Amino acid sequence: MTKYQVKSGGKLYLAGEYAILTPGQQALLQFIPISLTAEIEPASSYQLYSDMFAYKVGLERDKNYSLIQETIAVVEDYLKTRGIKPCPFSLSITGKLEKDGKKFGLGSSGSVTVLVVKALAALYQEDWSADFIFRLASYTLLKRGDNGSMGDLACIAYEDLVLFKAFDRARVRTWIKSDSLSQVLARDWGYQIESVRPALDFDFLVGWTGLPSISRDMIDQVKSAISADFLEPTQVAVEATAQGLRTGDKELVKVSLQKVSDLLKNLHPAIYTEELLVLEGAVQGLDAVAKSSGSGGGDCGIALSFNPDHSQKIRERWRKAGIELLFRQKAL
Ligand code: PMV
Ligand code: MG
């Protein structure tokens, strides 16, 4: 019998976090090739395993496995609409996006969802586009009541640096309640996902504070503070960052990302923890820019450095402050 192996990676926000929760706003997300792996093969009964939990389940309800099980349910529903009869399989997921039980904040739930969609696509020999994988994964998370923007799924499904324009999730949720799966999938949700090709060389550094932060709780805490005073300048700065990357305008990228960072700092005090302030401050006097990434309150921050010696300096300053270099993509 054939066994298939698929992978899915992680993501980090470059710019536009929190703003992207509002339809029509844009965010830039960097793909992080630290991956999860799934192996799937036909079996006589459903056997699901993830090394996050270290025990196996079938399709009986299990709190830890609910995300995996609900993704399977959505994909199987879709296969049925195509006249394909789902068959049991064994699915094994390895490669935790965490250390000592503390997650990195690279988008593990989004990555698992995309991974399971891809595993089923492989099993059923379906050739789904990144866009279709994004839709199936978003449908699953929206149906579950996830309160995120789905920006993580856009980046992880496209496996690229993307500029994502947010759709009206409340509207898609009403469709999920009233319409069939195939009807919802066929509709125009109103998002845009564009790959961005930077014409600029930089080291991309990811610093981990070692403190896990729960995006769902951060969103609940911060969302009432989101107003036009935050959204409008953030949108301008996100577009400017994308333009700076595309045209190779280093100063524009640095100024714009700093602007995004300052706007986040003023949005809510829970975003920039002491550690994230130190992470950001480590680029002082250097040809680089740094900021908190994603929901903040812990997890990761990023730095874009335009000088290899300065990258080294940032790493040293981070190390002294107890910030671990989680990932580094060197300039070409
Ligand atoms: O902390 P992360 O990387 O999961 O990012 C959260 C980004 C938010 O805009 C705050 C929420 C979201 O889902 O977009
Ligand atoms: Mg986070």
Side-chain angles (χ1 to χ4, degrees), residues 11-13 18 103-107 211-216 218 293-300:
K11 65 89 192 56
L12 279 174
Y13 274 85
Y18 287 108
K103 72 170 186 80
F104 293 145
L106 296 179
L211 305 168
S213 160
I214 300 172
S215 296
R216 162 173 282 276
M218 289 295 293
S293 171
S295 60
D299 282 349
C300 294

